[in-house]
């Protein structure tokens, strides 16, 4: 395995850059980060729409959310990659296709995270802001959303990890992200398929596991002051001292 | 100044407010008391339309706050409301809690709002905590900040919904003292409370409610010593403990 | 702009292709579900075991599997793992439906890791005093789980499990990458044959949505019929 790493590490990390477009792990992370950043404003807007007091806003957005969540991401990618060029006449290349699909998908999932965050802020906060005379939008903007976004941070980090995994679907349309690169390496190394794919798995694991740990730490920090009733502990260990 | 005219409110089939009519004059201090579920919290929350009503009108200086198309936010910015659970904004400092509304709604410059807020915090005895966050304060301190926050909008009337019910006993006094100072300054107050001592010493009038109706209106002296309505007599007998001072 | 002719996919050869794909998608999802759920239960109990070694094993499984995308799992089990098999087993694998088998393995392991976490959360939502009450009566760990905790945990766990089932259904589409002839594969095949993506994709989208709605509906029904009851 070591010689595979030694020979192909650069290709694995950045693809053919600078002699070609960016690829590999760098592309994976860039795509994930960019799509999440672009999706965030839309996600907040959709999340607010989901809690809007106006049915005319709430219902269509709720319908949209159920629609997008009922369809596989790959389907959305295929629509963008095969169908869109037939009506726009422009052949979209892999990166922008993946980006569009991921932004659309993430906006909807972020909307749910935002909604949960808003709902999680105590009702009294919104009420006391309204009691001061602040309108619905201002009460949201200055009192509820800041608190909601703070509590959402762990979920956002987890969503980032999820998006990194979702970028792997670019493999199917030939995007040179890290899974595709791994398959390319495999065709050259041929008899060490197990090792190559284990390496790929290890890469994703390191990235996503670290992110989930960050999310965990964030969550612990946020919950520091809330005292929850005793639940089933992480392990059922004897609590009495057997020697006593 | 605040006028209830035949106000009715239902929660589903439950008749929460029954034909309530009452006038509260400027400068009056009115305490609303009664057993749990009597509708007293509901009553005070309808004044600034935190709860809607089903019939009747509630007017402030002649304008009906529950009318259709009325600018609720405009009304609310002229009414101070203090909640049982304080509801300070945890992500803002004490000072920021008090300057948020004046800057956003009255167009005050941040420096002006800051000075005014500091003066108010001084008045409630918490100027030293201006840059602290609500989580660092005790319940009594938080409630005093909540009062300062409401005062920052210079309302002509202040509403208190059981302001001391969520406090540990030793902190009740500091909040009641602040409220008494407001009375000395001539503020109109409507207070829902169980603190009978406060009612006796400070209120001009006591309203006794039960099952959605105002059953008795009297001066504190008259109410506490010689209640007329049988339900009021029952209520006062129930809350009096053998350890209470005097009568 | 080419006109939209739905009849292309509603009758005839292409319809057959798509329906075969749908059937295979459902088979893949069903088989995986039947295998993943018991596995998830085992892993969840491992993670809650009083034994440190078992707990670590459970944690390693969950973290190791779910932090790696499904495509990497599929590629590994189809291209990587068979290399490790002794020759005669490898021959037997390829003689049968290797793609489906490898896809099922990958999908089962992946789905089970998420379901295990949901089951674990459900069990942890039960107040610890319930376990204490069970142990006080004299039940061992597994018995307490079976008789006291799991029956209560079931109601809490079902909604997230429905969610995971939804994900499983959508994830079957990724099996196309190793050549499983499920619905997405057939959709692409029809598109290649007819150059008409809209009709083929519309059919497949509707199919995915339809089954998704059924699964979601099941969840809503269960929640209404068996709401969570706390003490």
């Amino acid at each position: 395995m070591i010689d595979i790493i030694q020979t192909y590490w650069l290709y694995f990390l950045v693809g053919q850059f600078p002699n070609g477009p960016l690829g590999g792990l760098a592309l994976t992370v860039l795509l994930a980060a960019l799509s999440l950043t672009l999706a965030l404003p839309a996600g907040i807007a959709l999340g607010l729409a989901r809690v809007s007091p106006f049915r005319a806003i709430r219902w269509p957005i709720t319908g949209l959310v159920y629609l997008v969540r009922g369809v596989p991401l790959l389907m959305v990618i295929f629509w963008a990659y095969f169908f869109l060029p037939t009506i726009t006449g422009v052949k979209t290349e892999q990166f922008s296709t993946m980006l569009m699909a991921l932004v659309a998908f993430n906006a909807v999932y972020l909307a749910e995270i935002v909604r949960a965050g808003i709902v999680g802020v105590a009702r009294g906060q919104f009420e006391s802001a309204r009691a001061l005379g602040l309108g619905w939008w201002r009460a949201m903007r200055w009192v509820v959303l800041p608190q909601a976004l703070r509590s959402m941070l762990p979920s956002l980090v987890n969503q980032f990890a999820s998006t990194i995994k979702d970028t792997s679907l670019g493999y199917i349309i030939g995007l040179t992200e890290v899974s595709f690169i791994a398959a390319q390496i495999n065709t050259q190394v041929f008899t060490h398929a197990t090792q190559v794919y284990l390496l790929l798995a290890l890469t994703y694991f390191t990235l996503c596991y670290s992110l989930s740990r960050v999310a965990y730490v964030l969550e612990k920090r946020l919950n520091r002051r809330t005292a929850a009733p005793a639940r089933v502990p992480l392990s059922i260990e004897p609590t009495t001292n057997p020697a006593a | 100044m605040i006028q209830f005219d035949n106000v009715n409110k239902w929660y589903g089939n439950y008749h929460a407010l029954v034909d309530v009519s009452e006038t509260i004059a400027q400068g009056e201090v009115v305490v609303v008391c009664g057993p749990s579920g009597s509708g007293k919290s509901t009553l005070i929350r309808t004044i600034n339309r935190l709860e809607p009503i089903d019939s009747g009108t509630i007017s402030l200086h002649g304008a009906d706050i529950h009318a259709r198309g009325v600018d609720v936010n405009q009304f609310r910015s002229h009414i101070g409301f203090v909640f049982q659970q304080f509801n300070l904004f945890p992500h803002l400092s004490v000072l920021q809690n008090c300057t948020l509304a004046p800057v956003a709604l009255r167009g005050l410059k941040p420096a002006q709002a800051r000075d005014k807020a500091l003066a108010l915090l001084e008045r409630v005895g918490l100027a030293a905590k201006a840059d602290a966050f609500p989580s660092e304060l005790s319940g009594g301190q938080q409630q005093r900040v909540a009062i300062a926050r409401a005062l920052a909008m210079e309302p002509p009337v202040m509403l208190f919904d059981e302001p001391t019910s969520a406090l540990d006993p030793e902190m009740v006094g500091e909040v009641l003292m602040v409220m008494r100072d407001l009375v000395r300054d001539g503020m109109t107050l409507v207070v829902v409370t169980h603190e009978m001592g406060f009612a006796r010493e400070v209120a001009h009038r006591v309203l006794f409610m039960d099952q959605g109706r105002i059953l008795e209106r009297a001066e504190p002296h008259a109410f506490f010593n010689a209640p007329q309505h049988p339900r009021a007599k029952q209520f006062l007998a129930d809350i009096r403990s053998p350890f209470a001072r005097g009568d | 702009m080419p006109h939209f002719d739905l009849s292309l996919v509603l009758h005839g050869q292409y319809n057959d292709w798509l329906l075969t794909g749908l059937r295979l998608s459902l088979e893949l999802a069903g088989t995986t579900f039947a295998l993943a759920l018991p596995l998830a239960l085992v892993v969840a109990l491992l993670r809650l075991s009083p034994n440190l070694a078992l707990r670590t094993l459970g944690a390693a499984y969950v973290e190791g599997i779910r932090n790696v995308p499904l495509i990497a799992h599929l590629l590994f089990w189809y291209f990587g793992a068979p290399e490790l098999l002794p020759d005669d087993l490898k021959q037997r694998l390829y003689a049968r439906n290797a793609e489906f088998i490898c896809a099922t393995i990958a999908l089962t392991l992946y789905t089970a890791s998420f379901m295990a976490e949901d089951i674990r959360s459900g069990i942890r939502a039960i107040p610890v005093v319930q376990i204490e009450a069970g142990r006080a009566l004299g039940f061992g760990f597994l018995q307490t789980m079976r008789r006291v905790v799991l029956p209560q945990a079931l109601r809490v766990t079902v909604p997230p499990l429905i969610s995971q089932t939804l994900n499983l259904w959508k994830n079957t589409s990724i099996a196309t990458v190793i050549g499983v002839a499920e619905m997405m594969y057939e959709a692409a095949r029809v598109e290649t044959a007819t150059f008409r993506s809209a009709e083929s994709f519309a059919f497949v989208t509707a199919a995915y949505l339809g089954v998704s709605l059924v699964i979601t509906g099941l969840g809503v029904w269960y929640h209404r019929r068996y709401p969570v009851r706390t003490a």
Side-chain angles (χ1 to χ4, degrees), chain A residues 66-84 86-87 105 109 161-162 164-172 177 179-180 182-183 186 190-195 197-198 200-213 229-239, chain C residues 1-2 4 47-52 55 60 63-72 75-76 79-81 83-84 110 114 120 123-129 131-132 135 141 145 149 163 166-167 169-171 173-174 176-177 184-185 187-188 191 195 197-202 204-205 208-209 212-213 216:
Chain A
Y66 275 109
L67 196 82
V68 174
R69 290 177 66 177
V71 169
L73 176 55
L74 191 54
M75 186 84 257
V76 177
I77 295 172
F78 272 18
W79 273 110
Y81 194 62
F82 292 113
F83 178 67
L84 219 52
T86 64
I87 50 172
F105 224 61
Y109 278 88
S162 265
I164 286 182
K165 293 192 296 172
D166 287 337
T167 58
S168 64
L169 291 183
Y171 173 103
I172 299 180
E177 46 72 56
S179 301
F180 189 86
N186 187 38
F190 219 58
T191 48
H192 300 287
T194 324
Q195 294 178 17
Y197 288 118
L198 264 178
L200 179 65
L202 205 63
T203 309
Y204 276 117
F205 173 77
T206 315
L207 208 50
C208 296
Y209 185 65
S210 325
L211 283 171
S212 75
R213 288 282 98 189
R231 304 282 181 181
V232 174
L234 285 165
S235 72
I236 324 293
E237 292 184 330
T239 50
Chain C
M1 178 167 155
F4 187 77
R47 290 205 72 172
L48 291 166
S49 156
N51 182 315
L52 179 63
R55 273 206 315 277
E63 295 299 337
I65 298 280
R66 70 174 182 173
N67 284 303
V68 177
L70 188 53
I71 279 199
L75 293 175
F76 174 81
F79 294 116
E83 301 303 313
L84 301 173
Y110 190 74
F114 288 94
R120 191 172 78 106
I123 292 177
R124 288 188 64 207
I126 309 300
V128 72
V129 286
I131 293 223
E132 285 176 357
R135 298 308 295 267
F141 171 74
M145 278 296 155
V149 179
S163 210
L166 206 59
N167 285 339
W169 168 239
K170 293 187 288 177
N171 283 339
S173 62
I174 306 182
T176 187
V177 80
M184 200 62 96
Y185 181 95
E191 194 272 342
F195 294 105
S197 55
E199 292 86 346
S200 146
F201 289 175
V204 170
T205 304
Y208 276 115
L209 264 178
S212 293
L213 282 174
T216 312

Side-chain angles (χ1 to χ4, degrees), chain B residues 15-172:
Chain B
H15 203 167
L17 292 175
V18 184
D19 288 330
V20 173
S21 291
E22 189 62 42
T23 308
I24 296 168
Q26 184 147 352
E28 264 206 291
V29 177
V30 174
V31 163
V32 184
C33 67
S36 291
S38 55
K40 44 192 206 298
S41 268
T42 310
L43 186 76
I44 204 174
R45 283 163 65 95
T46 56
I47 299 179
N48 72 344
R49 205 166 159 178
L50 282 176
E51 301 283 350
I53 58 175
D54 293 303
S55 75
T57 59
I58 301 179
S59 322
L60 286 91
H61 282 308
D64 181 6
I65 187 176
H66 285 263
R68 279 182 155 273
V70 86
D71 186 354
V72 169
N73 300 325
Q74 185 64 335
F75 269 104
R76 284 178 179 156
S77 61
H78 289 102
I79 303 172
F81 197 98
V82 177
F83 293 83
Q84 182 176 352
Q85 299 293 339
F86 345 126
N87 288 338
L88 289 183
F89 307 135
H91 61 298
L92 301 176
S93 73
V94 161
L95 192 63
Q96 287 168 330
N97 262 274
C98 297
T99 57
L100 176 67
V103 169
L105 296 173
R106 294 281 162 80
L108 244 59
K109 296 225 177 17
Q112 281 176 291
R114 214 184 103 91
D115 292 335
K116 288 193 61 200
L118 280 172
L120 284 169
L121 287 171
E122 180 72 49
R123 203 169 149 192
V124 303
L126 285 168
K129 297 277 186 185
D131 292 319
F133 282 81
S135 57
E136 301 164 45
L137 304 181
S138 73
Q141 291 171 324
Q142 286 189 55
Q143 194 62 302
R144 285 188 276 152
V145 173
I147 295 174
R149 178 176 69 174
L151 287 173
M153 293 295 279
E154 294 177 338
V157 59
M158 289 278 281
L159 308 177
F160 291 81
D161 186 2
E162 303 213 32
T164 56
S165 297
L167 296 175
D168 288 337
E170 68 268 18
M171 291 189 253
V172 169

Side-chain angles (χ1 to χ4, degrees), chain A residues 3-219:
Chain A
D3 26 289
I4 299 181
I5 301 176
Q6 276 182 326
T7 324
Y8 293 103
W9 70 273
L10 192 61
Y11 184 46
F12 193 72
L13 282 179
V14 292
Q16 295 187 318
F17 192 78
N19 301 321
L22 186 67
L25 192 57
L27 181 64
T28 294
V29 177
L30 178 67
L31 184 58
L34 197 58
S35 65
L36 210 57
T37 316
L38 292 176
L40 199 55
I44 295 179
L46 288 177
L48 282 172
R50 289 273 270 141
V51 298
S52 162
F54 300 116
R55 256 184 301 182
I57 300 179
R58 212 170 59 230
W59 282 6
I61 302 296
T62 307
L64 177 70
V65 169
Y66 275 109
L67 196 82
V68 174
R69 290 177 66 177
V71 169
L73 176 55
L74 191 54
M75 186 84 257
V76 177
I77 295 172
F78 272 18
W79 273 110
Y81 194 62
F82 292 113
F83 178 67
L84 219 52
T86 64
I87 50 172
T88 61
V90 177
K91 170 113 174 86
T92 44
E93 43 87 51
Q94 291 95 333
F95 182 80
S96 44
T97 306
M98 277 302 287
L99 189 62
M100 280 194 289
L102 281 175
V103 169
F105 224 61
N106 266 327
V108 169
Y109 278 88
L110 284 176
E112 286 305 281
I113 294 176
V114 168
R115 190 184 77 94
I118 290 177
V119 165
V121 175
R123 174 123 199 96
Q125 289 294 304
F126 186 67
E127 262 193 357
S128 61
R130 295 307 306 270
L132 281 169
L134 294 164
W136 188 91
W137 167 242
R138 275 181 155 137
M140 274 293 163
R141 165 94 178 77
W142 294 108
V143 174
V144 178
L145 268 183
Q147 297 184 59
L149 289 173
R150 230 161 276 223
S151 70
M152 274 161 47
L153 225 41
S155 300
L156 286 179
V157 174
N158 278 324
Q159 189 64 18
F160 184 50
S162 265
T163 312
I164 286 182
K165 293 192 296 172
D166 287 337
T167 58
S168 64
L169 291 183
Y171 173 103
I172 299 180
I173 57 171
L175 181 68
T176 56
E177 46 72 56
V178 73
S179 301
F180 189 86
I181 298 282
Q184 296 288 78
I185 296 176
N186 187 38
T187 59
Q188 300 190 18
V189 181
F190 219 58
T191 48
H192 300 287
T194 324
Q195 294 178 17
V196 171
Y197 288 118
L198 264 178
L199 219 57
L200 179 65
L202 205 63
T203 309
Y204 276 117
F205 173 77
T206 315
L207 208 50
C208 296
Y209 185 65
S210 325
L211 283 171
S212 75
R213 288 282 98 189
V214 168
Y216 182 72
V217 165
L218 278 174
E219 183 145 24

Side-chain angles (χ1 to χ4, degrees), chain C residues 14-149:
Chain C
Y14 302 123
N15 180 259
D16 288 338
W17 290 3
L18 291 172
L19 284 181
T20 316
L22 174 60
R23 220 189 71 206
L24 200 65
S25 289
L26 288 168
E27 276 177 24
L28 187 55
T31 316
T32 305
F33 184 83
L35 293 171
L37 196 54
L39 177 59
L41 187 58
V42 168
V43 174
L45 290 176
L46 278 178
R47 290 205 72 172
L48 291 166
S49 156
N51 182 315
L52 179 63
L54 293 178
R55 273 206 315 277
T56 318
L57 185 63
Y61 174 87
V62 169
E63 295 299 337
I65 298 280
R66 70 174 182 173
N67 284 303
V68 177
L70 188 53
I71 279 199
H73 287 285
L74 287 163
L75 293 175
F76 174 81
W77 287 105
Y78 188 65
F79 294 116
E83 301 303 313
L84 301 173
L85 290 176
D87 268 329
D88 61 307
L89 265 179
K90 199 156 62 158
Q91 296 307 330
R92 281 169 57 188
L93 177 69
Y94 284 119
R96 313 185 70 175
N97 201 343
E99 293 83 16
F100 188 87
I101 293 175
C102 294
T104 309
I105 296 175
L107 213 49
T108 302
L109 291 176
Y110 190 74
T111 309
S113 74
F114 288 94
M115 285 184 169
E117 282 304 278
D118 287 331
I119 295 177
R120 191 172 78 106
S121 299
I123 292 177
R124 288 188 64 207
I126 309 300
V128 72
V129 286
Q130 290 291 312
I131 293 223
E132 285 176 357
R135 298 308 295 267
L137 284 170
F139 287 128
F141 171 74
L142 278 178
Q143 280 183 308
T144 311
M145 278 296 155
R146 190 165 74 84
R147 290 173 183 282
V148 177
V149 179

